[in-house]
């Protein structure tokens, strides 16, 4: 009710979200990745469908590759209504809610299907509204994929990570995950990562195959470990005040388009990551390191202490619900 009221007020005062005589509503969608990634493709499909179906009422501008806002300023830009849609990685919301850190816990989800099941169940869906107090509404979860480790050396065992510096997203859980290995964790915006790897400021990173490939890390990260130790997924978010200032009919149509885009993104993400992995393997620049069951277990043991450290902040009910979605319990 409060959001509805403040939305109407915003629309009246600022005229941001009404298709007035002076033109259509403009939705700016900013993101930090390349167009040929699951999120990049999703943003472009959203623009296409909105323009087909909402014709002259709504216009969408997509800004990829941190070309409008980057990790450091995009959420503030959303709150200022300078941009109306973002899809940050779930690891980038910790200043607005500690609960989404559940997605950063290493070795929690067996695979992307398990992540999908959690996001569809009640606890996962509730997390979409966990930032309403900050005027951020979650509209959908978009997949990228499972995370892999990359480095200047093979990293067959967790002890090999000790002493190396790893670029991480701005997540306390990820910071602790690398500290548990005796490694240094360096929080850097996505857009600055390649340069940091090139200059040697950091020697390793973790990301999905599609990001490792599309960001061209191969020449500086000759070893990529098929660890699948965590997940890189997104929440499509909007400014709540903006969203509830839209007319009911426009919002209903946008919701339907988002459902359709989400379905397409989430269906395609796994194949896009598989293809990126194959391209990296065929590049001749990267050695893909696979882990035996024993080696994977050693990584799990080394990283898993963070579960206990963050259980209080995240909530044991949420962690418990997430554990239930694996085929076998962990
Ligand atoms: C993204 O996929 O949006 C970027 C993730 C990262 O910062 O590593």
């Amino acid at each position: 009710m409060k959001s509805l009221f403040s939305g109407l007020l915003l629309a009246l005062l600022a005229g941001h979200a009404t298709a007035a005589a002076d033109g259509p509503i403009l939705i700016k969608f900013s993101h930090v990745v390349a167009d040929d990634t699951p999120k990049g493709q999703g943003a472009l499909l959203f623009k296409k469908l909105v323009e087909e179906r909402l014709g002259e009422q709504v216009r969408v501008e997509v800004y990829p590759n941190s070309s409008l806002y980057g990790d450091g300023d995009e959420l503030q830009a959303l709150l200022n209504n300078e941009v109306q849609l973002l899809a940050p990685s779930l690891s980038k919301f910790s200043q607005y809610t500690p609960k989404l850190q559940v997605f950063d816990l290493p070795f929690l989800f067996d695979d992307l299907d398990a992540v999908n099941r959690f996001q569809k169940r009640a606890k996962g869906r509730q997390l979409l509204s966990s930032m309403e107090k900050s005027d951020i509404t979650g509209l959908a979860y978009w997949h990228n994929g499972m995370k892999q480790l990359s480095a200047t050396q093979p990293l067959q065992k967790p002890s090999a990570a000790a002493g190396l510096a790893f670029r991480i997203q701005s997540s306390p859980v990820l910071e602790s995950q690398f500290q548990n290995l005796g490694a240094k964790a360096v929080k850097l915006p996505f857009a600055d990562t390649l340069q940091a790897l090139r200059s040697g400021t950091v020697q390793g990173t973790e990301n999905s195959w599609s990001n490792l490939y599309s960001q061209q890390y191969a020449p500086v990260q000759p070893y990529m470990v098929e660890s699948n130790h965590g997940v890189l997924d997104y929440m499509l978010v909007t400014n709540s005040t903006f969203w509830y200032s839209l007319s009911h009919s426009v919002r209903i149509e946008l919701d339907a388009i988002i459902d359709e885009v989400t379905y397409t993104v989430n269906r395609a993400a796994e194949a896009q990551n598989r293809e990126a992995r194959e391209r990296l393997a065929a590049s001749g620049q990267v050695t893909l390191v696979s882990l035996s069951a024993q080696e994977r277990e050693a990584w799990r043991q080394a990283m898993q202490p963070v579960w206990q450290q963050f259980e209080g902040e995240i909530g044991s009910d949420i962690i418990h619900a997430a554990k239930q979605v694996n085929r076998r319990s962990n």
Side-chain angles (χ1 to χ4, degrees):
M1 194 60 196
K2 181 181 153 286
S3 292
L4 183 64
F5 177 71
S6 52
L8 287 170
L9 201 62
L10 181 101
L12 285 172
L13 292 179
H16 278 306
T18 45
D22 51 324
I25 298 158
L26 176 61
I27 296 183
K28 293 189 186 180
F29 188 158
S30 173
H31 67 82
V32 301
V33 292
D35 282 334
D36 60 342
T37 57
K39 176 164 60 181
Q41 293 290 297
L44 292 174
L45 179 60
F46 174 77
K47 173 180 168 65
K48 178 173 174 286
L49 296 183
V50 169
E51 293 184 351
E52 276 170 17
R53 296 186 198 162
L54 285 166
E56 281 155 28
Q57 295 184 74
V58 184
R59 203 156 59 80
V60 178
E61 291 175 359
V62 175
Y63 296 90
N65 285 318
S66 309
S67 54
L68 186 61
Y69 296 104
D71 283 335
D73 54 6
E74 66 177 13
L75 279 158
Q76 190 54 51
L78 186 81
L79 293 174
N80 297 345
N81 199 31
E82 287 155 354
V83 61
Q84 290 71 37
L85 275 185
L86 301 172
S89 150
L90 294 167
S91 310
K92 293 179 184 166
F93 291 109
S94 57
Q95 83 179 102
Y96 300 101
T97 174
K99 295 181 182 175
L100 286 171
Q101 295 181 116
V102 67
F103 289 100
D104 284 339
L105 295 179
F107 294 97
L108 175 56
F109 299 105
D110 282 352
D111 51 31
L112 209 53
D113 286 342
V115 176
N116 203 39
R117 283 192 290 275
F118 175 64
Q119 291 172 349
K120 287 201 154 94
R121 290 189 188 173
K123 281 275 181 230
R125 288 205 317 275
Q126 280 160 19
L127 294 178
L128 289 170
S129 31
S130 58
M131 297 179 286
E132 292 285 354
K133 270 198 259 154
S134 302
D135 213 27
I136 297 173
T137 294
L139 299 168
Y141 289 108
W142 283 6
H143 291 326
N144 185 323
M146 299 305 283
K147 285 185 295 188
Q148 322 300 333
L149 292 161
S150 73
T152 49
Q153 49 203 75
L155 299 185
Q156 201 86 38
K157 294 182 182 157
S159 56
L164 298 184
F166 285 82
R167 177 270 168 173
I168 57 159
Q169 305 176 71
S170 57
S171 152
V173 173
L174 299 180
E175 186 170 30
S176 180
Q177 169 189 285
F178 282 104
Q179 285 168 347
N180 270 286
L181 303 172
K184 192 173 159 203
V186 183
K187 289 183 187 164
L188 282 176
F190 190 56
D192 298 346
T193 304
L194 179 59
Q195 185 46 34
L197 290 167
R198 279 192 182 136
S199 68
T201 313
V202 292
Q203 297 83 46
T205 185
E206 55 163 19
N207 227 306
S208 64
W209 292 119
S210 78
N211 279 347
L212 293 169
Y213 174 72
S214 61
Q215 293 297 304
Q216 297 168 6
Y217 292 167
V220 284
Q221 294 285 268
Y223 297 97
M224 295 190 182
V225 186
E226 205 153 358
S227 51
N228 292 307
H229 64 281
V231 63
L232 178 77
D233 260 17
Y234 307 114
M235 190 183 286
L236 181 69
V237 289
T238 187
N239 173 317
S240 315
T241 306
F242 162 78
W243 191 247
Y244 291 104
S245 74
L246 295 170
S247 71
H248 185 68
S249 62
V250 165
R251 198 151 25 92
I252 294 288
E253 187 61 51
L254 288 175
D255 269 333
I257 291 171
I258 288 169
D259 280 353
E260 199 172 321
V261 175
T262 299
Y263 178 78
T264 306
V265 169
N266 289 352
R267 253 181 67 134
E270 210 146 29
Q272 279 173 290
N273 275 291
R274 215 173 311 119
E275 195 179 309
R277 178 193 174 281
E278 278 156 25
R279 289 193 176 167
L280 284 164
S283 70
Q285 294 180 303
V286 176
T287 302
L288 297 193
V289 179
S290 47
L291 300 176
S292 68
Q294 242 176 351
E295 286 164 342
R296 197 158 187 279
E297 186 51 31
W299 280 97
R300 175 200 289 271
Q301 304 255 334
M303 289 177 165
Q304 211 164 10
V306 300
W307 286 33
Q308 222 182 349
Q309 190 186 338
F310 287 89
E311 186 173 341
E313 277 184 42
I314 296 170
S316 48
D317 56 329
I318 295 175
I319 298 178
H320 179 74
K323 279 162 67 175
Q324 300 306 306
V325 298
N326 290 320
R327 296 278 179 221
R328 48 161 193 79
S329 57
N330 48 17

